Amino acid sequence: MAPLANISKQDGAPELRRRSQLLFIFIVVAFLGLIARLVFLQIVEGERFTYLSENNRIRIKRVPGTRGMIFDREGQLLVDSRPSFDLIFVPEDSERPETTLKLLAGYLRRDPVELLKTFEENKSRAAFDELVLGRDIDWPAVVAVETHQLELPGVSLRARPRRNYSDGPMAAHVLGYLGEINQKQLKLLKDQGYVLGDEIGQFGLERRWEELLRGQSGGQQVEVDALGRRVRVLHEVTDVPGYTVHLTLDRQLQETAFEALKGKEGTIVALDVHNGAILALASTPAFDPNTFARGIKADEWNGLIKDQLRPLSNRAIQGQYPPGSTFKIVMSIAGLEEGVIQPESFIQDPGFYPFGNRSFRDWKKGGHGAVNLHKAIVESCDTYFYQLGPKLGIDRIAKWANAFGLGEKTGIALDDERSGTIPSTEWKRKRYRQPWFPGETVSVAIGQGYVTVTPLQLANMMAAVANG
């Protein structure tokens, strides 16, 4: 039996050696392949993959600066910023971003179509840029995201200051509101450090004093894990708050004016006659700027702009109205300064003033009888000023109206101020290509016809009279 066993052992030796050689060659080739791959990854493509790796692990988180606070003349707070949370998504941190968004929508009880639409609209953004899915989200949403963090790769919360208007619509037309920067604004302001998603003043003082109020953004260099969650902060640059602004507004007076206008369409302007400081400027109907601070919805915005009562319009500076009998103050001063009337001179008022083929009627049937300047102002006698108009002529009336700032913007630090209209012969020739007719001067003399002014202009005019 032994010889038979020896023969079998000798016969299998060549096959074993051949297999060993093949295995050795395979190991050498595999090893060389690994070395070649390592050379390619670390030397040929090393710089590129290092960059991608660091971008995936290290993120630069921008920290918006806190906007400056706004106070009234007595130091009462009108506008500040409160803590809030934005819902952020980085699609590159999720293997299946659409699935993640659908899961998130379920936890938040939101329509997944809405989240997916936002995702599709921002696919052109740079890799690892944060996508804002919601601003100033409520507490249940915060809890839902934190509770299911492991199931929502790429989804996180970002704490940021949110504008807070303590009195709601009370001074909305003065303070204004914020809104997310649009593409046109971003193109103009990119050099000033603005980025997509930033909030910027869109109306009122928030817009006019944007540069002062916005502050300077800071930033954090943070390390994140595979799910995009923050692990630690590597470096931080502290943000700088915006300037604090003190207004001339008196909060109590503003509140009183706003309450007096409730349920009405109108405006109230109150000035300090000694220096022209605005103490109250209320306009109704109004809007709540906090709606914009939390992120106004499309249906809310459409409701505001389609409202026939125009709640976004600041009637104090944008409303252009016939001044009516208040214009008689200008007429009186113009008549005295031009030497056309004397204070003690009387006219007879039968209740109307005939001019050409028309009779201009006084508001008081039967007239005021014998009227001098004092009585004409006290009783607002139309007939007295009907007669004064043609004596002055439209161009001298326009000269004195302009001297009081009527027909010109006041220069208030609010956008979209209107100038109103003070007609003259030149104005009508340019506007209508027609001559001025004498009968038109009669209507202008009592603040009617082509004359329009803003309430703020009228307040300025009366302040000038009051302070001498």
Side-chain angles (χ1 to χ4, degrees):
M1 296 297 292
L4 289 175
N6 288 336
I7 292 171
S8 301
K9 195 173 182 180
Q10 290 174 358
D11 290 343
E15 178 66 21
L16 181 62
R17 284 195 296 272
R18 188 176 66 81
R19 290 181 180 181
S20 297
Q21 290 171 353
L22 288 174
L23 179 62
F24 178 76
I25 293 171
F26 175 78
I27 292 173
V28 170
V29 170
F31 187 72
L32 290 175
L34 286 172
I35 292 175
R37 183 62 178 168
L38 286 173
V39 170
F40 176 77
L41 292 176
Q42 295 190 21
I43 297 176
V44 179
E45 291 287 325
E47 187 176 345
R48 173 173 170 266
F49 283 110
T50 299
Y51 172 77
L52 292 174
S53 174
E54 287 301 309
N55 265 286
N56 185 45
R57 185 177 69 85
I58 307 298
R59 304 281 173 82
I60 303 299
K61 301 281 187 179
R62 192 163 174 272
V63 180
T66 304
R67 289 181 77 85
M69 295 183 289
I70 302 178
F71 294 88
D72 83 336
R73 67 190 296 114
E74 301 296 335
Q76 294 194 53
L77 184 65
L78 297 174
V79 188
D80 66 347
S81 298
R82 59 174 175 79
S84 72
F85 291 96
D86 289 345
L87 183 61
I88 304 299
F89 182 49
V90 179
E92 289 75 14
D93 289 330
S94 174
E95 292 183 3
R96 297 185 294 274
E98 289 88 353
T99 302
T100 299
L101 290 176
K102 289 177 182 177
L103 189 61
L104 174 63
Y107 290 137
L108 300 182
R109 297 181 181 179
R110 288 174 60 178
D111 185 356
V113 175
E114 176 190 344
L115 298 182
L116 290 170
K117 181 181 178 183
T118 303
F119 172 58
E120 291 295 329
E121 289 175 348
N122 290 273
K123 276 194 170 180
S124 60
R125 80 197 201 302
F128 296 102
D129 273 3
E130 295 177 335
L131 183 62
V132 181
L133 298 179
R135 298 184 182 278
D136 196 16
I137 63 174
D138 57 24
W139 189 245
V142 172
V143 173
V145 171
E146 287 296 310
T147 304
H148 300 281
Q149 184 69 70
L150 292 175
E151 304 164 53
L152 301 169
V155 178
S156 62
L157 298 172
R158 179 179 64 192
R160 66 175 296 157
R162 185 70 59 201
R163 214 56 169 154
N164 179 51
Y165 302 86
S166 54
D167 294 305
M170 188 181 80
H173 293 96
V174 176
L175 301 173
Y177 59 82
L178 302 182
E180 186 172 342
I181 192 169
N182 58 44
Q183 291 291 346
K184 182 179 179 181
Q185 292 169 328
L186 185 61
K187 188 175 180 180
L188 294 172
L189 301 173
K190 199 169 185 178
D191 293 340
Q192 298 182 27
Y194 288 94
V195 298
L196 200 63
D198 275 354
E199 290 185 325
I200 187 173
Q202 301 283 7
F203 182 70
L205 295 181
E206 292 277 25
R207 176 179 174 182
R208 179 59 72 92
W209 290 341
E210 167 69 18
E211 187 176 347
L212 296 173
L213 290 167
R214 67 174 289 215
Q216 297 178 15
S217 296
Q220 293 179 336
Q221 187 181 45
V222 300
E223 183 179 355
V224 299
D225 62 14
L227 297 178
R229 296 175 302 181
R230 179 180 304 193
V231 175
R232 61 189 173 122
V233 177
L234 303 176
H235 181 67
E236 184 171 8
V237 176
T238 307
D239 62 293
V240 179
Y243 286 99
T244 295
V245 173
H246 290 263
L247 305 183
T248 63
L249 282 186
D250 184 299
R251 185 182 173 280
Q252 272 65 45
L253 195 58
Q254 179 74 18
E255 183 178 17
T256 301
F258 185 72
E259 289 295 325
L261 288 170
K262 272 195 173 178
K264 304 179 179 69
E265 298 173 51
T267 182
I268 294 177
V269 179
L271 304 183
D272 183 334
V273 298
H274 301 293
N275 56 23
I278 297 176
L279 304 178
L281 193 153
S283 177
T284 56
F287 61 92
D288 188 353
N290 289 303
T291 304
F292 292 87
R294 63 168 169 75
I296 191 167
K297 298 176 182 177
D299 57 338
E300 293 174 322
W301 173 248
N302 289 332
L304 284 173
I305 61 176
K306 291 179 180 178
D307 191 330
Q308 294 184 352
L309 298 180
R310 298 177 294 119
L312 292 174
S313 176
N314 185 351
R315 285 166 167 77
I317 64 170
Q318 295 174 330
Q320 300 175 98
Y321 311 101
S325 290
T326 57
F327 197 69
K328 294 171 183 176
I329 299 292
V330 174
M331 292 294 297
S332 300
I333 293 171
L336 291 171
E337 291 294 326
E338 296 291 343
V340 172
I341 56 173
Q342 298 298 322
E344 64 278 1
S345 299
F346 284 86
I347 68 153
Q348 286 298 320
D349 172 23
F352 61 91
Y353 174 63
F355 190 89
N357 59 357
R358 181 180 171 186
S359 181
F360 292 84
R361 297 193 173 279
D362 193 286
W363 69 266
K364 185 177 182 181
K365 190 175 181 179
H368 299 265
V371 182
N372 62 7
L373 179 59
H374 181 267
K375 186 176 179 181
I377 294 174
V378 171
E379 298 187 10
S380 191
C381 176
D382 293 335
T383 303
Y384 185 93
F385 294 98
Y386 285 148
Q387 295 187 29
L388 177 57
K391 293 177 183 177
L392 279 169
I394 189 61
D395 289 331
R396 286 199 289 187
I397 293 173
K399 181 184 82 170
W400 286 97
N402 292 149
F404 275 96
L406 303 182
E408 300 173 357
K409 295 180 180 180
T410 66
I412 187 175
L414 293 173
D415 295 314
D416 302 320
E417 182 184 12
R418 301 291 187 264
S419 62
T421 301
I422 297 297
S424 64
T425 52
E426 182 182 2
W427 171 85
K428 191 178 180 189
R429 186 165 53 250
K430 286 182 178 179
R431 179 72 179 271
Y432 296 105
R433 297 181 181 179
Q434 292 179 358
W436 184 266
F437 300 111
E440 294 173 318
T441 307
V442 180
S443 295
V444 169
I446 62 165
Q448 302 292 338
Y450 293 114
V451 184
T452 60
V453 299
T454 67
L456 180 58
Q457 288 173 351
L458 273 184
N460 274 334
M461 180 198 80
M462 294 309 300
V465 173
N467 66 27

